[in-house]
């Protein structure tokens, strides 16, 4: 039971080069397989944290590993979408650039303040993850950007602002902080509730 979260994270990590290879070498014919693997990756992402908390192995090491694997997995899907729908992705370069800049800012600010990467697993970040799933489903499955992409960019911007606020508010580095409000409560020494499902 205690090894399952690590196995799920490893599986998601292995999926990244598989997704890249399918999209680059096979191209459009791999759309369905990529979508299936994307949803498989999401399932591993949902359950690794839940199982880790239930098994009592939700440590800093595990959560940091989970966070960095998430980044690699979603980046691989982004490149996969680009290889399959190059023109479509290039037309949305402003939104994509904004998200890259916000992601880098989160890491830079966290490294400057704490000497570690950010690892908040905040609620808004989870919502952004769901919007990424929908946007990539439209991009890869239906060759469309539209409203799904716009919602994904908007939620991405909001969730990154929340993460930056968490980093700035926290007195010391901490993983699994649900929101900037919770970070403020932590700073004030007030108790915060944690749940098995989310943090």
């Amino acid at each position: 039971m205690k090894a399952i979260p690590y196995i799920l994270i490893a599986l998601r990590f292995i999926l990244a080069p598989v997704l890249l290879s399918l999209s680059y070498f096979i191209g459009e014919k791999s759309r369905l397989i990529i979508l299936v693997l994307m949803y498989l990756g999401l399932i591993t992402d949902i359950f690794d944290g839940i199982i880790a908390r239930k098994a009592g192995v939700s440590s800093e090491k595990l959560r940091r590993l989970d966070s960095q694997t998430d980044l690699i997995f979603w980046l691989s899907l982004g490149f996969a979408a680009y290889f399959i729908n190059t023109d479509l992705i290039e037309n949305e370069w402003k939104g994509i650039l904004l998200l890259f800049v916000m992601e880098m800012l989160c890491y830079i600010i966290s490294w400057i303040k704490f000497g570690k990467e950010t690892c908040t697993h905040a609620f808004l970040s989870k919502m952004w993850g769901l919007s990424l799933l929908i946007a990539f489903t439209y991009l890869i499955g239906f060759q469309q950007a539209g409203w799904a992409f716009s919602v994904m960019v908007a939620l991405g911007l909001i969730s990154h602002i929340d993460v930056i606020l968490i980093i700035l508010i926290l007195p010391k580095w901490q993983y699994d902080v649900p929101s900037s409000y919770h970070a403020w409560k932590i700073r004030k020494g007030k108790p915060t509730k944690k749940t098995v499902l989310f943090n």
Side-chain angles (χ1 to χ4, degrees), residues 44-78:
T44 67
D45 192 20
I46 292 171
F47 285 101
D48 61 10
I50 294 172
I51 294 171
R53 285 184 286 276
K54 279 189 171 291
V57 293
S58 184
S59 63
E60 176 185 329
K61 176 185 175 182
L62 179 71
R63 300 305 280 157
R64 290 175 73 181
L65 186 63
D66 177 42
S67 185
Q68 298 313 303
T69 302
D70 285 346
L71 179 63
I72 293 168
F73 176 75
W74 289 110
L75 276 175
S76 71
L77 274 166

Side-chain angles (χ1 to χ4, degrees), residues 123 170 177-187 190 192-193 199:
F123 289 147
L170 282 176
V177 182
S179 69
S180 51
Y181 169 69
H182 289 82
W184 177 81
K185 290 184 72 174
I186 291 168
R187 187 178 185 88
K190 296 181 179 182
T192 57
K193 290 183 179 180
N199 64 335

Side-chain angles (χ1 to χ4, degrees), residues 3 34 52 96 103 115 133:
I34 289 173
I96 295 168
E103 185 75 20
L133 183 78

